[in-house]
Amino acid sequence: MTQDVVEAQTRFLDWLDGRVAAEGRGDADSVLDTDPSGVYWLGRLAPESEAALIGRERRMDPCAVGMRVRPAHVGPWSFVVRVRALAWSRVGNSQERNEKWEKTAAIDVPLRIEVPMGAVGRAFGGRRIADALHLAGAVGSSAEVRVTDESWRGSPELVVELVNTTAEGPRQRGERHLFEVELRVLELPTRPFLLESLPDSFRYDRRLPAIGINCGVAVLGPEELATTDRVVVDRRRPEYTFGRTDARTLPLTFERLSEDPVPTLTQLVDAYAAWGRDHWSADSLRHRAAEERWQPEMIEQARVAAGEHTAELRRLRAGVAALEADTDLRTAFRLMNLAMRRAACGRYEGWRPFQIGFVVSVLPSLVREGADWQTVETVWFATGGGKTETYLGLLVLAAFYDRLRGKLAGITAWSRFPLRMLSLQQTQRFADALAAAELVRRDSHVGGEPISLGYFIGAGATPNEIPAAPTEYNPIDVDDPEMANRYRVLSACPFCGSERVRMKFHRGDWTLRHLCPATGCPSEGQPLPVYVVDQEIYRFLPTVIIGTLDKAALIAMQGSMRAFIEGPAGHCSRPRHGFTYAKRSKRPNGCLVPDCQGDVTPVAPTIRRRFAPSFRLQDELHLLRDSLGAVDSHYESLLDALQLELTGGTSKIIASSATLTGFERQVRVLYNRPGRVFPVPGPSARESFWTRETDSLLRRFVAVWPRGVTLEWVSDRTTTIVQQSVRRLLDEPDVVCSQARVDRVHVPMLLNLYGTHVVYGNTVRDVEGAHRSLGTQVPVALLNVAQLTGQTPFEEVRETLGRLLRPEGDFHDRLHVITASSMISHGVDVDRLNIMTVLGVPLTTAEFIQATARVGRTHPGLVYVIHKIGRERDAAVFSHFTPFIEQGDRFVEPIPVTRSSRRVLELTTSAAIEARRLFVHEPRSAGGRLTTVDLLRKYSSQTGLAAGEEARACAAALGLDEHHHLALGDVVQQLETYFMRLENPGDGARWPHQLLKRSPMRSLRDVEVQIPVSDD
């Protein structure tokens, strides 16, 4: 974008936000038909006599605003306070229905304040303020400044407040409120507070100039502080190539790296080393420590961080060395760059330094599964920085490396996402990258199966299987002409970009196909290499499989999951029937195509072990918390244990996260492996080798404290003002452009980028309530609204995202408001979304970061955070909103997760028992089937399988150590009961799962019955 475009966008946001603020205060109004205390939500004070005595309710409609300050010296103190305010007076006769409200003139009263030490609620200026209000037309209104010395806290500290003291009398309710209130403190030298919720850090400044009381505080000058109705914090847009990584001196283009990557990457690593000498050297740190007066613990933090930089530098050097020494790895790296260049389609020409840096840092562990193979590699970067493209590049490289080393079929990577529904945009990005890799594979004559994608979601979004005829449990009808199109997950052909992709069910090979009819498409009319049916994924084993985390539960229920830990049993002789698995009554040859009579060629054990995923990728690692994280930790161990027992190795784990807080412990708990993060943060919060802040606006965050009205009212009014203002730009472009100081040539662009408003709710209930309000409380004609939550039907999600990405030509036909839950917080990347209202501060800071990052990704964004001020968390966040935004990563709560829960173990032991039956014991059985209790009993008798031995194996598979005596005892108890029932023919159980204390979990979230909780 050119600088004038960025300036136009920023100025328009300034104008738009100014209108919202003015409406909230009533700046432009002079006459009303209704009580202003029910209209305005900013800058108002209720009379003290009406304020509730209970603190929580008092915040809803406060009678005082002010600030807490730390004078630079002990008292007594002398300083100046300026009071600004006005009132509304009722005129006319309500009985005759001609009642009006008129705004009085504003007052501006300076007061010299002399405060003795020990003052408690000392009042100042009451008479002067009352006289000024009287002269302005607010007869009977009054207010006073109150000052309290709270130096008992250990250092000089004052509380300065403006209190509305208007008494009951001639002024009625509403008239007794004061509006457009501001309190300024001048000529008082102060010292800052230290934000106690954060520790000292050499990277961050935790100083606060003052603490607002029922308001924010702005610094207007060296000795001038003012209350603010809202707290406004601007975050600046980062840049990724500058200084030593400037593209003119270090071009990290796909083209250059696809030719001879070693010299360019060596230059990158050398630049990182040189930068480190400038910023992490002992001399540099000593200089900063002296200049910034670091505490001893800060000096130690910096020393440790410098060591992390050195370790990262060593890994980068080792990555370049591995690339230079391993011909196959270098070839795979070159082909990956060719593929990423093709997938980018000219949108970008190369890598951001941190992206290719992460890929290089992982390379040493790829070479013959080196010493770092067991280390969990976590890529951490600001949301919107390009994490998805980073690990896409790594997965494409791994796919080529697998092919070049002899893994010609099977899963290279299984990528899991923690949400219940995977973003269709995320899916399209994966498909584009893998389709580009497939074209490069063909052009480069790399052997093996086509590089393909599996969409592993299952019931509710895509089919688990396509039945031969509809059943009660699976009503899919292959004769339904609309059936196939319901499961389209691609918005465009990943080969040619055509949006004419269509779906078709093919009876001949029993596949649900994505087809591109575009002339000249490299697919040449053949099915696109994308599989969306679970059974097709088992049959064809796509190179990369993406899906929801919940699918891991299938390891205890689905025999065809064998390919996710080892490999298939065989290959069907019928064309495109694919791989086969354990024999069952409905598929006697193990082929998953209904009624198949083909022959099966067994897969040799030496080849089978190559099929298992080389990588497991976990996106949004920070969401694996609480019960979900605890359950997943057991399933991760189970996957590793089965793969290790059957193949002799395990998958490499890659993760991405929005936070660094406590990630080492989280990784250790989840995976029983060590972890590290890339990149390590730089010595400054605003600049590192990989990125730095610019002067351009990224997002403007506006904290709003609704006073005397509901959060819903403020949300509806904000939406109304935004939509009316954007429509005014459409209807009166000359007037708006003049007011906003932008050139009229930018009008279409501004309408496109700021015409859609996202209303984000923390619960589905919030979202649905906001959605209903838009139809009745937002007086804007032709308002098109859509909803996106985890309960939104798949087809509706697809349609909404399509409309957002490709908006209608006529503004009035477009989507104007999206009400959304956390569903949009991950993987939704629409550069037209640039305005958001957040209904209450989310319960976790990570969710707040992820949600608000959906706007302003490419263009300046505006985020209104309407606090549910009656909640303690919201009130606390408002009080330190500026550091909350500027240092958001430091406020992210440590991830609460444990693998030691006996309640969780009770749930997951069943999974270990069943998974071992399916994948360890069944292949070893004489008939290759252990589907009934009778067969299992016979196998147990023949092999001597007993409860004690199997209990130890199950406990180890779940990651339990011998010192977990209680947990181990629980597993032993479950297995003893299991085998007791197995050995008792009179028990009545027919199927193995009936022997269990409880059936395996169908979902990793299936922890307990959910009880709805309301704050009403």
Side-chain angles (χ1 to χ4, degrees), residues 433-728:
L434 294 174
E438 168 57 14
L439 294 178
V440 170
R441 185 195 69 83
R442 296 178 193 175
D443 293 344
S444 303
H445 307 291
V446 175
E449 293 293 316
I451 293 176
S452 54
L453 175 67
Y455 187 72
F456 199 41
I457 304 297
T462 54
N464 293 329
E465 64 175 314
I466 305 291
T471 68
E472 178 184 355
Y473 303 103
N474 191 344
I476 294 175
D477 184 356
V478 295
D479 294 320
D480 178 0
E482 300 299 323
M483 181 274 289
N485 199 53
R486 284 198 290 270
Y487 303 112
R488 179 167 62 90
V489 301
L490 298 181
S491 58
C493 172
F495 284 129
C496 70
S498 169
E499 297 181 2
R500 296 165 56 198
V501 173
R502 60 186 179 88
M503 300 293 293
K504 181 178 181 181
F505 179 72
H506 192 274
R507 284 180 174 271
D509 55 24
W510 212 256
T511 57
L512 189 59
R513 299 175 168 184
H514 282 73
L515 298 168
C516 178
T519 303
C521 178
S523 67
E524 297 179 340
Q526 295 300 307
L528 300 178
V530 177
Y531 302 97
V532 300
V533 181
D534 285 10
Q535 287 203 350
E536 289 183 34
I537 290 173
Y538 305 140
R539 288 165 55 193
F540 301 110
L541 298 182
T543 314
V544 175
I545 295 174
I546 58 173
T548 54
L549 186 72
D550 290 342
K551 278 293 188 177
L554 290 178
I555 200 70
M557 296 182 286
Q558 174 56 259
S560 300
M561 286 289 288
R562 181 175 177 178
F564 284 71
I565 53 176
E566 181 191 16
H571 196 282
C572 184
S573 61
R574 297 292 177 88
R576 282 189 58 80
H577 278 208
F579 294 109
T580 63
Y581 296 89
K583 299 175 182 178
R584 298 290 186 257
S585 58
K586 291 185 178 180
R587 45 179 192 269
N589 63 352
C591 181
L592 300 180
V593 175
D595 303 321
C596 174
Q597 303 297 319
D599 297 325
V600 172
T601 303
V603 175
T606 54
I607 297 176
R608 187 184 302 136
R609 66 188 54 180
R610 295 181 180 178
F611 280 83
S614 305
F615 288 84
R616 293 207 306 269
L617 190 149
Q618 180 58 59
D619 194 43
E620 311 297 358
L621 181 69
H622 58 277
L623 293 183
L624 271 61
R625 52 185 293 131
D626 302 318
S627 59
L628 176 62
V631 170
D632 181 65
S633 70
H634 289 195
Y635 276 84
E636 299 294 341
S637 292
L638 182 56
L639 289 167
D640 281 346
L642 291 170
Q643 188 175 343
L644 183 63
E645 182 171 355
L646 298 175
T647 71
T650 58
S651 301
K652 174 76 173 176
I653 295 179
I654 305 292
S656 73
S657 180
T659 174
L660 291 177
T661 305
F663 90 94
E664 298 99 333
R665 178 184 176 277
Q666 185 193 16
V667 164
R668 177 64 71 179
V669 170
L670 285 173
Y671 304 110
N672 262 343
R673 305 189 192 192
R676 64 182 170 220
V677 68
F678 183 96
V680 297
S684 166
R686 301 189 184 280
E687 181 176 350
S688 73
F689 174 77
W690 311 101
T691 183
R692 71 179 179 188
E693 289 186 359
T694 66
D695 293 332
S696 297
L697 179 66
L698 174 67
R699 294 181 192 94
R700 173 167 297 159
F701 292 87
V702 181
V704 180
W705 178 328
R707 298 182 184 177
V709 295
T710 65
L711 175 147
E712 292 76 16
W713 164 264
V714 177
S715 174
D716 291 339
R717 288 296 299 148
T718 301
T719 302
T720 299
I721 298 160
V722 168
Q723 287 298 316
Q724 288 176 342
S725 299
V726 171
R727 282 162 168 73
R728 190 178 176 206

Side-chain angles (χ1 to χ4, degrees), residues 2-21:
T2 61
Q3 186 60 33
D4 67 314
V5 170
V6 174
E7 289 180 0
Q9 294 167 350
T10 304
R11 288 175 179 173
F12 182 73
L13 274 192
D14 290 342
W15 175 81
L16 191 63
D17 182 40
R19 284 182 58 82
V20 174

